[in-house]
Amino acid sequence: MTSPNESRNFIVADDDDGIRLDRWFKRHLADVSFNQVSRWARTGQIRIDGKRASPGDRIESGQSIRVPPAEAKDEEELRPRRAAIVLTDDEAELVQSMKIDHGRDWFLLNKPPGLATQGGTKTSQHLDRLLGGLAGENEQRPKLVHRLDKDTSGVLLVARSARAAAHFSKSFSGRTARKVYWAIITGVPSLDQGLIDAPLAKQPGSGGEKMHVDEKDGQTAKTRYRMIDRVGNRAAWVELQPLTGRTHQLRAHMAAIGHPIVGDAKYGGAEAFLTGGVSRKMHLHARRLRIDGPDGVVIDGTAELPVHFAETLKMLGFDPLAGDALPLDTFDYKTDPEVKARREAAAAKSRRRERKGERRGRGERGDDKKATGKPSGKPAGKATGKPTRKPAGKPPSRAERSSGKPPARPVRSAPRKPGGKPATRK
């Protein structure tokens, strides 16, 4: 058993490969504050494979981390922490029923409509709260890597480890993940397929809860759509592929072209509803997700339709198999210049974060050097000891300053003749 006064040693696990040292402390030694980690680093008490480390350093699997003995906690740290979430039997059964498929690093879930992905104001029941019901004994709690709107149903990916979550997050930010949505819209677009290119921004006065098209200040937003089937000019069943990931992008884009999604009162108003007994719930469903896993194996899953969506298809006379009959690719994501540019931008952002952590670490090591008493900058003059600038002359006296008159210019001595006597001026 380790003595309370002895240093502690830990081995970096595979799931922690590549993360920052301060993140490692947050995961495994949550009772140690960031200030305490920084203090230990400044004084050289934290070692990685025997070398001094800073909070911003990246760690690798298999490395040894030496940590000082735990310090006595003050009154603030001794306050009770929030208890772990304990699910009821019904909640555990609910999240288990959402599973579509799973692998070593991931779960694919079918999120039902009406369940928020994350908590917020007046939202106590949400998917993120239920994820603990997927973890087995001695397993980490799964982590969200993307979201769906509360009233949007369909396939949603969660990671089983922090390392997998980082991998999937890069795929989503780099737009290499393929997402296919199904929607029932009011009216019928003039073209069977097309690209909606309309920048989106938060609508003023909505508290950020609603988006609108803003050509001047909006962020780039692009959506591809293909018509699967139609009912005269009354309604259409469309496939949507978001090429960007803006808030409410699909809903705002379809409303912007005059064909709001059925049930979407926020963006379509009264025009978003169909008569004839069609459900008033949102008809937007994340049907399919394809993404590369951390092990290089392609994850490709589909989510069954919720009851109200399936009933609407039947009521309108649509064949449920028609949507899946469409080929997935309408263009090559691997060579498309837009996707390539976004992938490169995501990689550059990741590199900037790493450099920022390195600079922070160098700054902390620089503080250590200053503490030794060594000068941190260059000397003011040369090694000869000569001043870098010549004196401008004798400063003005107090009487001269109080008189308001300009100070007298310094008198230059006359040059001397070779004989040693001063030369006279003519």
Side-chain angles (χ1 to χ4, degrees):
M1 180 179 290
T2 303
S3 170
N5 297 322
E6 292 181 0
S7 297
R8 296 167 286 173
N9 290 281
F10 301 88
I11 301 299
V12 179
D14 292 341
D15 288 341
D16 297 323
D17 184 50
I19 69 170
R20 288 165 50 108
L21 181 61
D22 53 355
R23 294 289 302 173
W24 181 88
F25 271 94
K26 189 172 182 180
R27 287 182 188 175
H28 302 286
L29 296 176
D31 57 331
V32 180
S33 66
F34 178 80
N35 290 336
Q36 190 170 336
V37 173
S38 300
R39 183 168 65 252
W40 282 345
R42 284 196 303 271
T43 55
Q45 296 183 71
I46 299 179
R47 301 275 174 165
I48 298 179
D49 287 345
K51 298 179 181 179
R52 294 183 62 148
S54 65
D57 288 345
R58 299 279 174 177
I59 59 179
E60 298 177 2
S61 174
Q63 286 184 324
S64 173
I65 301 177
R66 192 191 76 181
V67 180
E71 297 180 357
K73 297 179 173 61
D74 55 26
E75 183 178 352
E76 178 73 18
E77 293 176 321
L78 289 174
R79 291 179 181 177
R81 296 181 178 270
R82 185 173 57 182
I85 298 173
V86 179
L87 303 181
T88 65
D89 292 341
D90 290 342
E91 290 173 332
E93 184 178 351
L94 171 62
V95 72
Q96 286 289 338
S97 70
M98 296 181 199
K99 283 199 304 185
I100 301 172
D101 197 1
H102 68 279
R104 184 193 66 182
D105 300 302
W106 50 272
F107 287 106
L108 280 182
L109 307 180
N110 186 357
K111 187 188 83 65
L115 177 65
T117 305
Q118 288 181 298
T121 304
K122 299 180 181 180
T123 303
S124 58
Q125 184 68 306
H126 48 86
L127 178 60
D128 190 29
R129 178 180 176 276
L130 303 176
L131 291 181
L134 296 172
E137 189 176 355
N138 299 324
E139 286 186 352
Q140 296 184 35
R141 187 174 180 276
K143 298 171 175 57
L144 291 170
V145 291
H146 67 125
R147 297 185 301 169
L148 294 176
D149 293 342
K150 180 179 179 179
D151 295 320
T152 302
S153 57
V155 62
L156 189 140
L157 176 73
V158 294
R160 301 183 73 162
S161 67
R163 184 181 183 185
H167 168 85
F168 291 129
S169 295
K170 288 182 180 179
S171 295
F172 282 108
S173 62
R175 310 303 172 198
T176 58
R178 299 296 311 279
K179 293 181 285 185
V180 175
Y181 290 76
W182 284 357
I184 305 294
I185 59 174
T186 60
V188 178
S190 57
L191 299 176
D192 288 346
Q193 61 180 327
L195 174 66
I196 305 172
D197 185 0
L200 296 176
K202 293 180 179 179
Q203 183 169 304
S206 66
E209 294 297 323
K210 188 176 181 180
M211 307 294 284
H212 75 297
V213 175
D214 188 338
E215 297 288 349
K216 181 180 179 181
D217 300 320
Q219 293 180 304
T220 301
K222 297 183 180 182
T223 301
R224 289 184 179 272
Y225 76 87
R226 289 191 289 179
M227 193 184 308
I228 302 173
D229 205 347
R230 58 185 288 178
V231 180
N233 293 323
R234 181 189 181 197
W237 175 19
V238 294
E239 174 195 272
L240 304 175
Q241 296 185 36
L243 304 186
T244 52
R246 308 302 174 203
T247 301
H248 297 173
Q249 176 177 313
L250 302 181
R251 299 165 61 184
H253 271 177
M254 298 314 296
I257 64 173
H259 301 287
I261 296 172
V262 172
D264 189 5
K266 174 175 284 190
Y267 287 92
E271 297 180 1
F273 299 99
L274 297 175
T275 58
V278 175
S279 173
R280 296 177 66 85
K281 292 182 179 180
M282 178 89 75
H283 285 68
L284 179 61
H285 178 72
R287 175 62 173 177
R288 184 176 180 183
L289 173 66
R290 191 176 76 177
I291 189 172
D292 292 335
D295 54 2
V297 177
V298 176
I299 303 168
D300 194 342
T302 59
E304 293 299 321
L305 290 169
V307 174
H308 76 277
F309 201 123
E311 290 178 347
T312 298
L313 288 183
K314 184 177 180 180
M315 187 178 299
L316 297 178
F318 295 143
D319 180 4
L321 300 178
D324 291 327
L326 291 177
L328 179 62
D329 293 319
T330 56
F331 68 100
D332 190 349
Y333 268 69
K334 294 183 178 179
T335 60
D336 185 79
E338 180 179 333
V339 175
K340 182 179 179 182
R342 292 188 178 279
R343 197 160 46 229
E344 292 174 349
K349 184 177 180 180
S350 178
R351 290 194 295 270
R352 286 196 299 271
R353 287 179 176 174
E354 291 179 0
R355 287 197 296 269
K356 184 177 180 181
E358 292 173 359
R359 288 196 297 270
R360 184 179 297 174
R362 288 197 296 268
E364 291 173 351
R365 287 192 289 271
D367 293 341
D368 295 341
K369 293 180 181 179
K370 291 178 182 179
T372 61
K374 296 181 180 180
S376 58
K378 296 181 179 180
K382 296 182 179 179
T384 59
K386 296 180 180 180
T388 56
R389 295 183 59 188
K390 294 182 179 179
K394 184 178 179 181
S397 64
R398 182 179 299 177
E400 289 173 335
R401 290 196 299 270
S402 60
S403 65
K405 296 180 180 181
R409 298 179 62 184
V411 179
R412 297 180 179 178
S413 59
R416 292 179 177 274
K417 291 184 177 182
K421 297 181 179 179
T424 58
R425 297 180 181 274
K426 297 183 180 180

Short mmCIF file of all heavy atoms in Angstrom, two decimals, residues 10-21 24 48-49 57-65:
data_model
loop_
_atom_site.label_atom_id
_atom_site.label_comp_id
_atom_site.label_asym_id
_atom_site.label_seq_id
_atom_site.Cartn_x
_atom_site.Cartn_y
_atom_site.Cartn_z
N PHE A 10 1.10 6.32 -12.06
CA PHE A 10 0.01 5.83 -12.90
C PHE A 10 0.55 5.55 -14.30
O PHE A 10 1.49 6.21 -14.75
CB PHE A 10 -1.12 6.86 -12.98
CG PHE A 10 -1.71 7.24 -11.65
CD1 PHE A 10 -1.16 8.28 -10.90
CD2 PHE A 10 -2.80 6.56 -11.14
CE1 PHE A 10 -1.69 8.64 -9.67
CE2 PHE A 10 -3.35 6.92 -9.91
CZ PHE A 10 -2.79 7.95 -9.17
N ILE A 11 -0.05 4.60 -14.97
CA ILE A 11 0.29 4.28 -16.36
C ILE A 11 -0.84 4.76 -17.25
O ILE A 11 -2.02 4.48 -16.99
CB ILE A 11 0.50 2.76 -16.56
CG1 ILE A 11 1.63 2.26 -15.64
CG2 ILE A 11 0.85 2.47 -18.02
CD1 ILE A 11 2.98 2.91 -15.90
N VAL A 12 -0.50 5.49 -18.31
CA VAL A 12 -1.50 6.05 -19.22
C VAL A 12 -2.18 4.91 -20.01
O VAL A 12 -1.50 4.11 -20.65
CB VAL A 12 -0.86 7.04 -20.20
CG1 VAL A 12 -1.91 7.60 -21.17
CG2 VAL A 12 -0.19 8.19 -19.44
N ALA A 13 -3.50 4.86 -19.94
CA ALA A 13 -4.26 3.83 -20.64
C ALA A 13 -4.45 4.20 -22.11
O ALA A 13 -4.24 5.35 -22.52
CB ALA A 13 -5.63 3.64 -19.97
N ASP A 14 -4.87 3.23 -22.90
CA ASP A 14 -5.08 3.46 -24.33
C ASP A 14 -6.13 4.53 -24.58
O ASP A 14 -6.02 5.33 -25.53
CB ASP A 14 -5.50 2.16 -25.03
CG ASP A 14 -4.36 1.14 -25.07
OD1 ASP A 14 -3.19 1.55 -24.90
OD2 ASP A 14 -4.65 -0.07 -25.25
N ASP A 15 -7.17 4.57 -23.76
CA ASP A 15 -8.25 5.54 -23.95
C ASP A 15 -7.79 6.97 -23.71
O ASP A 15 -8.46 7.92 -24.13
CB ASP A 15 -9.42 5.24 -23.00
CG ASP A 15 -10.17 3.99 -23.43
OD1 ASP A 15 -10.03 3.59 -24.60
OD2 ASP A 15 -10.89 3.41 -22.60
N ASP A 16 -6.68 7.15 -23.01
CA ASP A 16 -6.17 8.49 -22.71
C ASP A 16 -5.05 8.92 -23.65
O ASP A 16 -4.45 9.98 -23.46
CB ASP A 16 -5.67 8.55 -21.26
CG ASP A 16 -6.79 8.30 -20.26
OD1 ASP A 16 -7.91 8.76 -20.53
OD2 ASP A 16 -6.53 7.64 -19.24
N ASP A 17 -4.76 8.11 -24.64
CA ASP A 17 -3.67 8.42 -25.57
C ASP A 17 -3.97 9.72 -26.33
O ASP A 17 -5.02 9.88 -26.93
CB ASP A 17 -3.50 7.28 -26.59
CG ASP A 17 -2.33 7.51 -27.53
OD1 ASP A 17 -1.24 7.81 -27.03
OD2 ASP A 17 -2.50 7.40 -28.76
N GLY A 18 -3.03 10.67 -26.27
CA GLY A 18 -3.14 11.91 -27.03
C GLY A 18 -3.83 13.06 -26.32
O GLY A 18 -3.87 14.17 -26.85
N ILE A 19 -4.38 12.85 -25.12
CA ILE A 19 -5.07 13.94 -24.44
C ILE A 19 -4.06 14.78 -23.64
O ILE A 19 -2.93 14.38 -23.40
CB ILE A 19 -6.18 13.43 -23.51
CG1 ILE A 19 -5.56 12.68 -22.30
CG2 ILE A 19 -7.16 12.54 -24.24
CD1 ILE A 19 -6.58 12.35 -21.22
N ARG A 20 -4.49 15.97 -23.23
CA ARG A 20 -3.64 16.84 -22.43
C ARG A 20 -3.54 16.31 -20.99
O ARG A 20 -4.45 15.64 -20.50
CB ARG A 20 -4.20 18.26 -22.41
CG ARG A 20 -4.04 19.02 -23.71
CD ARG A 20 -4.95 20.25 -23.71
NE ARG A 20 -4.80 21.03 -22.51
CZ ARG A 20 -4.19 22.23 -22.44
NH1 ARG A 20 -3.67 22.74 -23.53
NH2 ARG A 20 -4.13 22.90 -21.32
N LEU A 21 -2.43 16.66 -20.35
CA LEU A 21 -2.22 16.20 -18.98
C LEU A 21 -3.30 16.72 -18.04
O LEU A 21 -3.76 15.99 -17.16
CB LEU A 21 -0.83 16.64 -18.49
CG LEU A 21 -0.44 16.21 -17.08
CD1 LEU A 21 -0.43 14.70 -16.95
CD2 LEU A 21 0.92 16.79 -16.71
N TRP A 24 -6.27 14.62 -18.27
CA TRP A 24 -6.08 13.33 -17.59
C TRP A 24 -6.41 13.47 -16.10
O TRP A 24 -7.07 12.60 -15.51
CB TRP A 24 -4.64 12.85 -17.78
CG TRP A 24 -4.37 11.52 -17.12
CD1 TRP A 24 -4.53 10.29 -17.65
CD2 TRP A 24 -3.90 11.32 -15.77
NE1 TRP A 24 -4.19 9.32 -16.75
CE2 TRP A 24 -3.80 9.92 -15.57
CE3 TRP A 24 -3.55 12.17 -14.73
CZ2 TRP A 24 -3.36 9.37 -14.37
CZ3 TRP A 24 -3.12 11.62 -13.52
CH2 TRP A 24 -3.03 10.24 -13.36
N ILE A 48 6.56 12.91 -16.19
CA ILE A 48 6.12 11.94 -17.19
C ILE A 48 7.35 11.20 -17.69
O ILE A 48 8.25 11.82 -18.28
CB ILE A 48 5.39 12.62 -18.37
CG1 ILE A 48 4.12 13.31 -17.88
CG2 ILE A 48 5.04 11.59 -19.45
CD1 ILE A 48 3.35 14.01 -18.97
N ASP A 49 7.41 9.92 -17.40
CA ASP A 49 8.61 9.12 -17.71
C ASP A 49 9.88 9.76 -17.16
O ASP A 49 10.93 9.79 -17.79
CB ASP A 49 8.74 8.92 -19.23
CG ASP A 49 7.71 7.94 -19.78
OD1 ASP A 49 7.10 7.22 -18.97
OD2 ASP A 49 7.54 7.89 -21.01
N ASP A 57 0.88 19.52 -21.76
CA ASP A 57 1.59 18.46 -22.49
C ASP A 57 0.62 17.34 -22.89
O ASP A 57 -0.30 17.00 -22.16
CB ASP A 57 2.70 17.88 -21.62
CG ASP A 57 3.87 18.83 -21.45
OD1 ASP A 57 3.94 19.81 -22.22
OD2 ASP A 57 4.70 18.61 -20.56
N ARG A 58 0.86 16.78 -24.08
CA ARG A 58 0.08 15.63 -24.54
C ARG A 58 0.73 14.34 -24.03
O ARG A 58 1.95 14.20 -24.09
CB ARG A 58 0.03 15.60 -26.07
CG ARG A 58 -0.62 16.83 -26.69
CD ARG A 58 -2.11 16.74 -26.67
NE ARG A 58 -2.73 17.97 -27.15
CZ ARG A 58 -4.04 18.14 -27.28
NH1 ARG A 58 -4.84 17.15 -26.97
NH2 ARG A 58 -4.53 19.27 -27.71
N ILE A 59 -0.10 13.43 -23.55
CA ILE A 59 0.43 12.19 -23.00
C ILE A 59 0.17 11.05 -23.98
O ILE A 59 -0.72 11.14 -24.83
CB ILE A 59 -0.19 11.87 -21.63
CG1 ILE A 59 -1.72 11.75 -21.72
CG2 ILE A 59 0.20 12.93 -20.62
CD1 ILE A 59 -2.39 11.40 -20.42
N GLU A 60 0.93 9.98 -23.85
CA GLU A 60 0.82 8.84 -24.75
C GLU A 60 0.58 7.57 -23.96
O GLU A 60 1.00 7.45 -22.80
CB GLU A 60 2.09 8.70 -25.59
CG GLU A 60 2.38 9.88 -26.49
CD GLU A 60 3.68 9.72 -27.25
OE1 GLU A 60 4.33 8.66 -27.10
OE2 GLU A 60 4.05 10.64 -28.02
N SER A 61 -0.08 6.63 -24.62
CA SER A 61 -0.38 5.35 -23.99
C SER A 61 0.91 4.67 -23.53
O SER A 61 1.90 4.64 -24.26
CB SER A 61 -1.13 4.45 -24.98
OG SER A 61 -1.31 3.17 -24.44
N GLY A 62 0.90 4.15 -22.29
CA GLY A 62 2.05 3.44 -21.75
C GLY A 62 3.00 4.30 -20.95
O GLY A 62 3.87 3.76 -20.26
N GLN A 63 2.87 5.63 -21.05
CA GLN A 63 3.76 6.50 -20.27
C GLN A 63 3.43 6.42 -18.78
O GLN A 63 2.31 6.10 -18.39
CB GLN A 63 3.64 7.94 -20.75
CG GLN A 63 4.29 8.22 -22.09
CD GLN A 63 4.22 9.69 -22.47
OE1 GLN A 63 3.24 10.37 -22.20
NE2 GLN A 63 5.26 10.18 -23.11
N SER A 64 4.45 6.71 -17.98
CA SER A 64 4.29 6.69 -16.53
C SER A 64 4.15 8.13 -16.02
O SER A 64 4.96 8.99 -16.35
CB SER A 64 5.49 6.02 -15.87
OG SER A 64 5.44 6.14 -14.46
N ILE A 65 3.13 8.37 -15.22
CA ILE A 65 2.90 9.70 -14.63
C ILE A 65 3.12 9.61 -13.13
O ILE A 65 2.47 8.83 -12.44
CB ILE A 65 1.47 10.19 -14.91
CG1 ILE A 65 1.21 10.26 -16.41
CG2 ILE A 65 1.24 11.55 -14.27
CD1 ILE A 65 -0.22 10.69 -16.76
#
